[in-house]
Amino acid sequence: MKYALVTGGSRGIGKAICLKIAGAGYHVLINYRSNDQEAEDTLDQIQANGGSGELMKFDVSNSSEIKTELENWKSKNPEKHIEVLINNAGIRKDNLIMWMKEDEWRDVINTNLDSFYFITRQLVTDMLVNKYGRIVNVVSLSGIKGLPGQTNYSAAKGGVIAASKALAQEVAKKNVTVNCVAPGFIKTDMTKELDEKQLKQMIPMNRFGNPEEVANIVAFLASEKASYITGEVISVNGGLYT
Ligand code: NAP
């Protein structure tokens, strides 16, 4: 059995990624912060499709919680190692910078950027020792071109992109790849209050994407087939100009 950790696996894009990765034969550690019911639903769906997984509840912005949870898992499973890490959990708290409160800045940076460092540093050693690993970070169009009202979110996602490019070069010799997937507008809870009718006019495909359309490329980058791709950012945005 091979092991994968997906952060933010209870809803939206993360849920679709969990299902795809489980379908590829991985035992999926489904991380989430608070929504027990949706996390259980992800696990139920995996099991109904004949796959396997388990829940792993922790706050990705809390380094000590992460350390404790991952060390506990490792001590219960000393022979096993997590060879696929999908850093997907994220939040947005949009505001124009002149009105942006310090906690809106910090929460978004902590959850979207610091989490990359906290979790990746914990798992990368096993990947290097075993000379195999796949790290895929879910970023955003916002981290490539910047979006008004999202200086915090753009900074965090742009930071993950730069960090991924640096890490890709650190670990490439050990057969560990690090890539990013940058969604545009995807139908999830995160975008449910946006006006799709108006925003879709900017998108050449004239619609928002589905979580599965993001999960497909994440699963490919997380597979053995993507063995010579690293340090890349792949957009999934229906042709939205970046
Ligand atoms: P979503 O529907 O709001 O789901 C967010 C997921 O992240 C949930 O599983 C949530 O867990 C988890 N999460 C949030 N904060 C967490 C924390 N501190 N610790 C652990 N888990 C946490 O979001 P989504 O649209 O699927 O977004 C997934 C990723 O794609 C994010 O990184 C987002 O920035 C990125 N993205 C999304 C879009 C889009 O259009 N939807 C576009 C570009 C990029 P709970 O259920 O427990 O709250």
Side-chain angles (χ1 to χ4, degrees):
M1 191 46 99
K2 298 184 293 178
Y3 293 83
L5 169 63
V6 180
T7 68
S10 50
R11 291 183 287 125
I13 294 170
K15 185 186 281 271
I17 294 171
C18 286
L19 294 172
K20 273 274 161 203
I21 300 271
Y26 280 91
H27 176 89
V28 183
L29 279 60
I30 306 160
N31 160 260
Y32 66 108
R33 180 184 44 189
S34 57
N35 200 327
D36 299 312
Q37 203 180 331
E38 285 295 331
E40 288 285 357
D41 178 70
T42 303
L43 182 57
D44 287 348
Q45 287 194 46
I46 287 175
Q47 289 169 342
N49 293 336
S52 80
E54 65 190 279
L55 302 184
M56 193 182 255
K57 186 176 184 175
F58 60 76
D59 179 346
V60 297
S61 68
N62 184 325
S63 67
S64 58
E65 233 177 79
I66 293 165
K67 197 164 181 285
T68 308
E69 283 300 318
L70 290 176
E71 283 178 359
N72 278 349
W73 186 85
K74 191 70 187 169
S75 64
K76 282 184 207 144
N77 301 280
E79 306 298 314
K80 300 167 184 167
H81 76 277
I82 297 167
E83 66 173 40
V84 167
L85 165 61
I86 316 293
N87 287 306
N88 162 78
I91 55 164
R92 63 182 185 83
K93 292 192 175 180
D94 299 354
N95 216 338
L96 296 177
I97 199 158
M98 61 185 167
W99 291 315
M100 188 174 288
K101 295 184 195 78
E102 220 170 295
D103 65 315
E104 291 171 329
W105 177 268
R106 295 225 172 279
D107 288 353
V108 169
I109 298 288
N110 290 345
T111 304
N112 295 285
L113 176 59
D114 293 358
S115 61
F116 161 83
Y117 160 67
F118 294 148
I119 301 170
T120 306
R121 73 167 166 184
Q122 190 97 4
L123 297 184
V124 78
T125 311
D126 263 0
M127 294 182 189
L128 294 171
V129 169
N130 290 288
K131 296 192 178 62
Y132 183 84
R134 295 281 181 266
I135 300 171
V136 184
N137 302 311
V138 179
V139 291
S140 170
L141 172 68
S142 194
I144 299 172
K145 78 181 283 272
L147 288 176
Q150 292 197 323
T151 48
N152 50 359
Y153 186 77
S154 302
K157 295 298 193 182
V160 173
I161 290 171
S164 301
K165 290 181 178 180
L167 180 62
Q169 295 171 69
E170 281 182 28
V171 298
K173 281 202 182 87
K174 298 288 183 186
N175 214 13
V176 177
T177 65
V178 189
N179 290 290
C180 294
V181 171
F185 292 103
I186 307 298
K187 273 188 209 186
T188 68
D189 291 343
M190 189 178 269
T191 53
K192 70 177 175 221
E193 88 283 12
L194 300 181
D195 183 353
E196 183 176 352
K197 252 192 198 142
Q198 189 209 334
L199 288 167
K200 73 179 187 181
Q201 292 167 19
M202 310 190 299
I203 305 169
M205 286 194 179
N206 203 36
R207 64 174 177 86
F208 279 14
N210 295 312
E212 294 69 30
E213 292 175 308
V214 181
N216 286 333
I217 185 69
V218 171
F220 173 71
L221 291 171
S223 74
E224 286 180 29
K225 287 180 190 160
S227 48
Y228 204 51
I229 305 171
T230 197
E232 283 300 320
V233 184
I234 299 183
S235 292
V236 183
N237 60 22
L240 198 55
Y241 178 69
T242 54

